[in-house]
Amino acid sequence: MLVKSLTRIREVIVTSSVLACEVVKVICALFLLVKDGSLRTLFKEWNLIASLTASGLPAAIYALQNSLLQISYRNLDSLTFSMLNQTKLFFTAFFTYIILRQKQSIQQIGALFLLIIAAVLLSIGEGSSKSSTSNNPDEILYRGIVPVLVASVLSGLASALCQWASQVKKHSSYLMTVEMSIIGSLCLLASASKSPDGVAIKQHGFFYGWTPLTWIPVILNAVGGILVGLVTTYAGGVRKGFVIVSALLVTALLQFFFDGKPPSPYCLVALPLVLTSISIYQKYPYRVKKKEA
């Protein structure tokens, strides 16, 4: 909501906002490491191979994911974007099983499928609806729905890799934030050199379309990224996702109050499915059998 209200959303170059967010993340994470007194110890123990193993691949994945999300929420309304973005829970559960062998109960699997049904409803609704930010159904599909769904797959993979690094390899969450932001920014800069965004930055400058207010959502995004890293470390990727889904209620409320736009019929059907899936997932955790124990 802040991105849409505080920035000239069609003018700000995607790469510039993503890179600015990564720089703010590094500054915040370094400040927190200094504050808890662990920066010097981590600096002495740091080595390149361990860093690339823990943070390299997730960083590259998140850099691509962030760019896809920036494209997507420019072409979808806030609530639809948020709900489609929650399909990352299914992919997070899938990849945590593949990488960490973290199993789900039958009820939890059912809950994740409810989430996918909600996403499909939204895709069908938004593909034929004229209530989005664009009247072109093809633009809604290919520049709104498809990017956010691809980003969800990437998010699930990256989340599982981060959970592996923090829980199995005992890599510091704040250090991972710094490493991933730096590596992700380098990947983004390398790709931007030959992309339309890179050309736009050369022509118009890095801060083209920015105002002082543009920094507010950038800073909040950065702080949110650090908090998500902590939740992944201590609660795991799937639970992190279900916690974030609660933002749907806030998004719907804010969209109604600030835009005067009530949720679409598809959102009204999908929202209870999302909330039901959260309830089922939390209520029926996987229980280890005696043989497995």
Side-chain angles (χ1 to χ4, degrees):
M1 296 294 293
L2 286 173
V3 167
K4 289 187 175 183
S5 61
L6 298 181
T7 66
R8 290 183 285 181
I9 197 164
R10 294 285 176 182
E11 296 179 24
V12 173
I13 301 166
V14 171
T15 300
S16 72
S17 60
V18 173
L19 284 172
C21 182
E22 297 304 324
V23 170
V24 175
K25 271 189 202 176
V26 170
I27 294 169
C28 291
L30 287 173
F31 171 78
L32 291 167
L33 284 170
V34 170
K35 191 176 179 183
D36 69 14
S38 60
L39 180 62
R40 185 173 295 179
T41 305
L42 289 173
F43 181 75
K44 287 179 181 178
E45 295 174 351
W46 186 88
N47 70 80
L48 181 62
I49 302 300
S51 173
L52 290 175
T53 302
S55 305
L57 183 56
I61 293 171
Y62 275 132
L64 176 56
Q65 179 213 350
N66 284 335
S67 295
L68 289 170
L69 291 179
Q70 292 272 345
I71 293 166
S72 181
Y73 66 51
R74 292 168 187 235
N75 294 284
L76 293 175
D77 69 79
S78 303
L79 183 58
T80 301
F81 168 81
S82 296
M83 295 183 80
L84 283 172
N85 195 30
Q86 301 319 314
T87 57
K88 62 189 175 187
L89 292 172
F90 174 82
F91 299 110
T92 301
F94 173 75
F95 286 115
T96 50
Y97 173 73
I98 297 295
I99 295 170
L100 295 167
R101 311 309 295 175
Q102 183 177 312
K103 297 181 180 179
Q104 312 290 325
S105 68
I106 293 173
Q107 292 93 333
Q108 286 179 322
I109 293 170
L112 291 170
F113 274 105
L114 278 180
L115 205 62
I116 299 303
I117 292 169
V120 170
L121 279 174
L122 285 164
S123 298
I124 295 169
E126 286 303 310
S128 58
S129 172
K130 293 185 179 179
S131 63
S132 287
T133 55
S134 166
N135 288 330
N136 185 346
D138 285 341
E139 189 170 345
I140 294 168
L141 178 62
Y142 294 113
R143 295 186 62 81
I145 292 169
V146 171
V148 74
L149 290 177
V150 173
S152 294
V153 177
L154 295 175
S155 175
L157 175 58
S159 185
L161 290 170
C162 287
Q163 189 175 334
W164 170 81
S166 59
Q167 293 183 354
V168 178
K169 293 295 182 181
K170 305 299 181 185
H171 214 60
S172 164
S173 177
Y174 297 141
L175 181 60
M176 277 188 69
T177 297
V178 173
E179 291 171 343
M180 288 173 62
S181 293
I182 292 172
I183 295 169
S185 297
L186 291 173
C187 292
L188 199 57
L189 285 170
S191 65
S193 61
K194 295 184 179 179
S195 72
D197 274 11
V199 174
I201 289 171
K202 287 176 184 176
Q203 288 179 346
H204 305 294
F206 187 84
F207 292 108
Y208 176 73
W210 283 59
T211 68
L213 292 176
T214 307
W215 283 102
I216 295 174
V218 167
I219 291 168
L220 290 177
N221 256 332
V223 174
I226 292 172
L227 293 174
V228 165
L230 289 172
V231 176
T232 302
T233 299
Y234 294 107
V238 178
R239 283 194 177 87
K240 170 203 75 177
F242 275 106
V243 172
I244 293 172
V245 175
S246 61
L248 290 171
L249 298 174
V250 179
T251 305
L253 189 65
L254 290 175
Q255 191 166 273
F256 178 70
F257 279 116
F258 287 99
D259 294 344
K261 180 182 177 182
S264 70
Y266 292 96
C267 287
L268 292 174
V269 174
L271 189 56
L273 290 176
V274 173
L275 296 175
T276 302
S277 70
I278 296 171
S279 175
I280 292 171
Y281 193 92
Q282 297 290 1
K283 194 174 180 180
Y284 300 100
Y286 179 81
R287 300 190 185 281
V288 180
K289 296 173 185 176
K290 286 183 180 179
K291 271 188 181 180
E292 290 180 81

